[in-house]
Amino acid sequence: RELVIATNSDNVRAGAERFQAHITDELNVKELRVAENLIGLDPDRFAAAEGPQFGVALDTELTDELVAEGIARDIVRHVQQLRKEADLEMNARIRLRFDTDDAQLAASVETWADYIRAETLADSVDRGLLDEPDRVAKVAGTEVKLSISETST
């Protein structure tokens, strides 16, 4: 996903370049491009707005990779909420189990398992539940069952 900042202002250009890492991180975009104008951008792909000193355009195309990453981030959000509800210590290690009937969701979790493990302090991310789920969540419009258990350290 790309963000384009269009400006003729040296100050705006310098600010965009100086804060590029922060902008891309906060807006969850992969690339920031500074250009003189927004001419030539595909209006079906970019949402744009312009003001007196600069314009911005955001690539709205959802690739399979972006959808998978979004699913992983949503799973992390649900797991973090489960950790909070279970009153786990911040550094407590867990085992995460999930189940879903949706092949794309399962593939996304498996593809992004390293990210999910790192963000949730999970020693493992396994498909298939042993007991009743701790939460039945909607992720990308699909039901996913989640369970966590604290692992011994």
Side-chain angles (χ1 to χ4, degrees), residues 109-129:
V109 172
E110 290 164 7
T111 298
W112 286 86
D114 289 342
Y115 167 78
I116 294 168
R117 276 193 293 277
E119 293 295 312
T120 63
L121 298 180
D123 290 331
S124 61
V125 176
D126 298 310
R127 188 170 183 186
L129 299 176

Side-chain angles (χ1 to χ4, degrees), residues 62-121:
L62 292 178
T63 64
D64 290 343
E65 180 182 320
L66 282 173
V67 171
E69 181 179 356
I71 288 170
R73 288 176 182 268
D74 211 12
I75 293 290
V76 166
R77 182 179 63 80
H78 284 291
V79 172
Q80 298 295 35
Q81 187 62 40
L82 283 172
R83 289 177 61 90
K84 181 178 177 182
E85 291 168 6
D87 202 26
L88 295 178
E89 295 290 327
M90 280 241 330
N91 61 350
R93 306 292 302 181
I94 63 166
R95 178 176 186 185
L96 170 61
R97 298 191 69 85
F98 77 97
D99 204 9
T100 182
D101 293 332
D102 187 88
Q104 181 184 16
L105 194 145
S108 297
V109 172
E110 290 164 7
T111 298
W112 286 86
D114 289 342
Y115 167 78
I116 294 168
R117 276 193 293 277
E119 293 295 312
T120 63
L121 298 180

Side-chain angles (χ1 to χ4, degrees), residues 7-16 53:
T7 185
N8 289 322
S9 165
D10 290 337
N11 288 337
V12 172
R13 182 179 297 277
Q53 297 227 355

